[in-house]
Amino acid sequence: MAANMYRVGDYVYFENSSSNPYLIRRIEELNKTANGNVEAKVVCLFRRRDISGNLNTLADSNAREFEEESKQPTPSEQQKHQLKHRELFLSRQFESLPATHIRGKCNVTLLNETDVLAGYLEKEDCFFYSLVFDPVQKTLLADQGEIRVGSKYQAEIPDKLAEGESDNRIQEKLETKVWDPNNQLKDPQIDQFLVVARAVGTFARALDCSSSIRQPSLHMSAAAASRDITLFHAMDTLQKNNYDLAKAMSTLVPQGGPVLCRDEMEEWSASEAMLFEEALEKYGKDFNDIRQDFLPWKSLASVVQFYYMWKTTDRYIQQKRLKAAEADSKLKQVYIPTYTKPNPNQIMVPGSKPGMNGAAGFQKGLSCESCHIQPAEMPSPNTESPFTHPAAQSPQWYAWGPPNMQCRLCASCWIYWKKYGGLKTPTQLEGAARAGSESGPRGHMTRQEVQGMSPFTRNEGRAKLLAKNRQTFILQTTKLTRIARRVCEDILQPHRAARRPYASINANAVKAECIIRLPKATKTPLKTKLVPRQSLANIVKELAISAPLKLKASRGPPTPINRNQASQPRVGQSLLGKRGFESAAGVPYPANGRPYTSGMRTTSQSVIKRQKVSQGEAPNPVVFVATKDTRALRKHLTQSEMRRAARKPHLLVRIKLPPPPPRSLAMPLLPSSTSEPIVLED
């Protein structure tokens, strides 16, 4: 009953997703909504997996400095990994969450130099924090509430002087005397001088225009003149004048007019006081943040002095009464029953037979992703197959990670994942051998980041993930994987796996079999074939002999183009986007679709895909020069046949030639420059 009762100030787990770890929050208020539900106003605490890699590096350096200063015992690699799960980062961010999402209590403490880090691992639901995270500025700062204990913060007290021993130190260098109780004045005389100082202060405020506006009445000016700042000034005046009342009177009222002394209550305006009250409501007594965010034009000493003077006013008493009345009207505690609904990620329930609820996959060596390298902790004497891991005997199993990876967690590791936001040991996605060198945030990635790094993720989803996070990563083979390739070569079949890279390999089963075979494999040495390798100098000589360097021939001047063609657009045939018709049925054809003749000159060029080319990058134009025979053949085509050939250059053109003349007649076959006829004879 007491475990399910939650009060203001408790650190609790909140669940916002069935697959993600719990959120850790501190309850500040419990409010009842209009529909009868209870909402909790909470302070956010962040894990390492919630901050960026640069901030994780900063947190690592802060942890190393803490270990060196506090002289912590050297933890093991697994303890270092798990301690990162226990570290939190406090923030100033508030949010409201339904109280029904609370899943339990936890304990969060400020890390102190006297604490032993390994002690946090021995306690359940125990966390610590030493840095404050700003979600807006993305910065990590040291918490100002740290208890400063040690030689750096405490003064060294000298030994007490013996009786009759004189102090040889120069007192003027050590401190400044502001009041001497062994003076020649009596107490009534000092009181009379203080009354005169208050009167001078009241008169000075009457002469000052700004003070007349702030204290329009006489009793307000007298009350302001009776504050401590006036009394301190009067006593300093007596000390400086060696307690001579006549000289002190003349110092209070010099020739220019009476001296006006103001404290922070008079220097601050009403708007500045309202800003201070608003900042105090938000940040509490964190004067650095109050000055930085609300009153940057004020000094830190001015803010602190105003706070202690403000506590003596009626305004402070009124606000204190209002807060007490609000606290009485709010809820002090709320009862949340234990959450008993099944988790959607659960794939095997207690009492189910093998093969139900997806449990059949565990019969082929799928083990827990977290504790699979610790078989001694969960012995299983009834193991029948070498591929069946001892952890597979857990009654409950949960899906974890990308669905296509088929990663599983047992019941205890799933609870650890939900509470601490990580696994007991580094996952295989990040490399089990790198557990001791977790300098980056890879051990605390979210599920989406792990899925984006997986080589088995689909391209569509991977492109979206890489668009968000473009950090470079390296997939490094662990030592156990390299050993398993040699020891379990018959199971792994590397040649077959290389031909089928798309087929998944059950790495857990191979490594489990490798652990069983490894003691026997160490006794029989591996068969290796030494291949003699030549030196680098011999290889270079052989390459120089077999493939000598050839100098490129210099290009000649470009072919001149007729100036009349300069106005034509420089778009070649290769940019038309049509396939070439260089040959059809074994007969060569030009680009215009007409058969070559003996006197026709052509220029061939490969056809490429249509694309936009600028004038400067366009190729040289292709020029066709018709011969006399070609022009003579064109005369036998009608106008419609010429147009049809131009529209369909890929079709053959049939030309009907007239019958030849009689042999006895003489006629010119082709137009010639000479006028002599050509005679055909047998």
Side-chain angles (χ1 to χ4, degrees):
M1 186 73 178
N4 295 336
M5 193 68 68
Y6 301 94
R7 299 175 178 84
V8 175
D10 289 346
Y11 291 91
V12 295
Y13 295 116
F14 272 91
E15 186 175 22
N16 66 339
S17 174
S18 60
S19 58
N20 292 338
Y22 292 140
L23 305 176
I24 298 180
R25 301 290 185 261
R26 186 182 68 198
I27 301 177
E28 290 293 315
E29 294 179 4
L30 291 172
N31 301 319
K32 196 170 184 179
T33 60
N35 53 4
N37 298 329
V38 178
E39 282 190 353
K41 182 181 178 182
V42 295
V43 178
C44 299
L45 290 94
F46 295 89
R47 305 180 191 264
R48 276 179 172 262
R49 66 194 305 273
D50 301 326
I51 63 177
S52 62
N54 296 331
L55 297 183
N56 268 285
T57 305
L58 182 61
D60 290 338
S61 61
N62 180 75
R64 286 192 295 268
E65 293 177 0
F66 175 80
E67 292 177 1
E68 294 175 0
E69 293 178 359
S70 60
K71 298 179 181 179
Q72 295 283 333
T74 304
S76 62
E77 301 299 338
Q78 186 173 0
Q79 287 179 338
K80 288 182 180 179
H81 174 75
Q82 295 182 1
L83 278 174
K84 293 184 178 181
H85 302 157
R86 302 297 184 102
E87 184 178 9
L88 301 177
F89 303 99
L90 186 66
S91 71
R92 310 292 183 190
Q93 181 176 343
F94 291 86
E95 62 181 3
S96 296
L97 297 174
T100 53
H101 290 186
I102 297 177
R103 297 294 181 262
K105 294 182 182 180
C106 59
N107 184 23
V108 182
T109 57
L110 176 64
L111 186 62
N112 194 8
E113 294 181 358
T114 59
D115 295 340
V116 180
L117 292 176
Y120 287 94
L121 300 178
E122 299 173 359
K123 303 175 183 178
E124 289 291 334
D125 306 321
C126 191
F127 300 88
F128 65 88
Y129 75 93
S130 60
L131 300 175
V132 178
F133 173 60
D134 188 353
V136 179
Q137 302 294 334
K138 305 296 182 183
T139 56
L140 277 180
L141 300 174
D143 186 70
Q144 301 297 328
E146 180 183 1
I147 301 176
R148 299 182 176 182
V149 180
S151 59
K152 294 183 179 180
Y153 310 107
Q154 273 69 41
E156 296 181 0
I157 302 175
D159 298 334
K160 185 179 180 180
L161 297 176
E163 295 182 2
E165 185 180 0
S166 60
D167 190 359
N168 299 325
R169 297 177 300 175
I170 303 175
Q171 298 295 332
E172 288 75 7
K173 295 183 178 180
L174 298 177
E175 56 189 3
T176 302
K177 183 184 291 188
V178 296
W179 182 258
D180 187 6
N182 300 321
N183 55 70
Q184 66 273 19
L185 297 178
K186 297 180 181 180
D187 291 341
Q189 292 177 323
I190 297 175
D191 294 337
Q192 290 175 358
F193 182 78
L194 295 179
V195 171
V196 173
R198 293 191 190 98
V200 171
T202 304
F203 179 65
R205 283 169 175 77
L207 297 178
D208 186 62
C209 297
S210 60
S211 299
S212 304
I213 298 174
R214 295 181 181 181
Q215 293 98 15
S217 60
L218 179 61
H219 70 276
M220 292 180 65
S221 299
S226 301
R227 301 185 67 85
D228 294 339
I229 188 67
T230 306
L231 302 181
F232 291 157
H233 176 68
M235 298 176 74
D236 290 340
T237 304
L238 287 175
Q239 172 69 20
K240 292 177 181 179
N241 292 279
N242 295 325
Y243 300 96
D244 188 348
L245 293 177
K247 292 182 180 179
M249 290 288 186
S250 60
T251 305
L252 285 178
V253 187
Q255 294 182 357
V259 178
L260 177 60
C261 300
R262 293 177 178 173
D263 56 9
E264 297 298 332
M265 289 296 295
E266 293 184 82
E267 292 290 345
W268 287 44
S269 62
S271 59
E272 291 174 341
M274 294 294 292
L275 284 175
F276 176 80
E277 292 178 358
E278 182 181 353
L280 194 67
E281 182 71 20
K282 181 177 181 181
Y283 293 124
K285 292 191 293 184
D286 195 342
F287 300 115
N288 286 315
D289 291 346
I290 291 175
R291 174 183 174 273
Q292 183 177 359
D293 295 345
F294 285 85
L295 300 165
W297 58 89
K298 296 289 185 180
S299 63
L300 185 61
S302 175
V303 174
V304 175
Q305 290 179 12
F306 180 80
Y307 169 73
Y308 286 103
M309 293 179 182
W310 174 78
K311 289 185 70 174
T312 62
T313 60
D314 296 336
R315 177 74 175 174
Y316 170 75
I317 298 174
Q318 292 176 2
Q319 289 193 0
K320 195 172 182 180
R321 290 175 179 173
L322 289 175
K323 287 184 178 180
E326 291 178 1
D328 293 338
S329 61
K330 291 181 179 179
L331 297 175
K332 301 292 189 304
Q333 59 187 7
V334 62
Y335 175 80
I336 305 296
T338 305
Y339 188 76
T340 57
K341 294 183 180 180
N343 194 295
N345 295 275
Q346 185 174 352
I347 58 176
M348 185 175 181
V349 297
S352 61
K353 297 180 180 180
M356 297 177 62
N357 300 321
F362 294 96
Q363 304 302 320
K364 288 297 183 180
L366 288 180
S367 59
C368 178
E369 193 69 23
S370 177
C371 59
H372 64 280
I373 61 173
Q374 300 173 359
E377 295 184 3
M378 290 174 290
S380 178
N382 299 325
T383 303
E384 298 179 359
S385 173
F387 298 99
T388 303
H389 196 273
Q393 306 301 322
S394 176
Q396 294 181 357
W397 286 89
Y398 299 85
W400 180 83
N404 54 350
M405 292 293 293
Q406 296 184 0
C407 298
R408 303 290 184 264
L409 291 181
C410 61
S412 61
C413 294
W414 178 259
I415 296 175
Y416 186 93
W417 158 257
K418 294 291 287 184
K419 287 186 176 181
Y420 305 113
L423 301 184
K424 297 179 182 178
T425 56
T427 63
Q428 293 182 355
L429 292 176
E430 58 183 299
R434 301 182 59 186
S437 59
E438 294 174 359
S439 58
R442 190 173 294 183
H444 309 277
M445 295 184 298
T446 61
R447 179 174 178 176
Q448 289 77 12
E449 292 172 343
V450 173
Q451 184 176 359
M453 291 180 57
S454 172
F456 305 101
T457 310
R458 293 183 179 179
N459 294 334
E460 303 88 19
R462 181 167 183 151
K464 296 178 181 178
L465 293 170
L466 292 179
K468 298 179 180 179
N469 186 7
R470 295 185 177 273
Q471 295 181 356
T472 307
F473 65 92
I474 301 174
L475 299 178
Q476 185 176 2
T477 308
T478 62
K479 187 179 294 183
L480 181 59
T481 304
R482 293 195 296 269
I483 295 174
R485 290 175 181 174
R486 295 294 189 91
V487 177
C488 303
E489 189 173 359
D490 56 334
I491 301 175
L492 183 61
Q493 299 180 2
H495 296 286
R496 183 172 180 272
R499 292 193 298 269
R500 301 174 62 191
Y502 52 85
S504 60
I505 299 174
N506 194 344
N508 294 342
V510 176
K511 291 182 179 180
E513 182 68 16
C514 176
I515 294 175
I516 298 175
R517 296 185 182 183
L518 195 58
K520 299 179 182 179
T522 54
K523 299 179 182 179
T524 58
L526 296 175
K527 296 180 181 180
T528 57
K529 183 179 179 181
L530 298 178
V531 180
R533 298 182 182 274
Q534 299 180 3
S535 62
L536 182 61
N538 296 335
I539 296 175
V540 173
K541 289 180 181 179
E542 292 180 1
L543 292 176
I545 294 173
S546 60
L549 297 176
K550 296 181 181 180
L551 298 177
K552 295 182 178 180
S554 59
R555 297 181 179 179
T559 304
I561 302 176
N562 190 359
R563 294 183 180 180
N564 297 331
Q565 301 175 358
S567 60
Q568 300 177 0
R570 301 182 63 186
V571 180
Q573 181 219 352
S574 61
L575 303 180
L576 297 179
K578 299 181 180 180
R579 59 185 179 91
F581 301 95
E582 287 80 5
S583 62
V587 181
Y589 273 80
N592 60 358
R594 299 171 185 176
Y596 291 128
T597 58
S598 60
M600 185 178 294
R601 292 178 296 173
T602 62
T603 302
S604 61
Q605 192 171 1
S606 60
V607 179
I608 61 174
K609 189 177 181 180
R610 183 189 299 243
Q611 56 183 351
K612 295 181 180 179
V613 182
S614 62
Q615 289 289 346
E617 298 178 357
N620 295 330
V622 181
V623 181
F624 295 91
V625 180
T627 61
K628 295 179 180 179
D629 298 339
T630 305
R631 289 194 291 269
L633 292 174
R634 288 177 181 172
K635 292 181 179 180
H636 297 284
L637 297 175
T638 63
Q639 193 72 16
S640 61
E641 289 177 347
M642 289 283 290
R643 293 177 181 176
R644 188 183 303 110
R647 289 193 300 267
K648 299 180 180 180
H650 59 282
L651 298 179
L652 297 177
V653 179
R654 299 182 181 275
I655 303 176
K656 295 181 180 181
L657 297 177
R663 296 182 181 180
S664 59
L665 297 178
M667 61 172 294
L669 281 177
L670 297 173
S672 176
S673 58
T674 61
S675 59
E676 296 180 358
I678 298 176
V679 180
L680 298 179
E681 297 179 355
D682 292 334

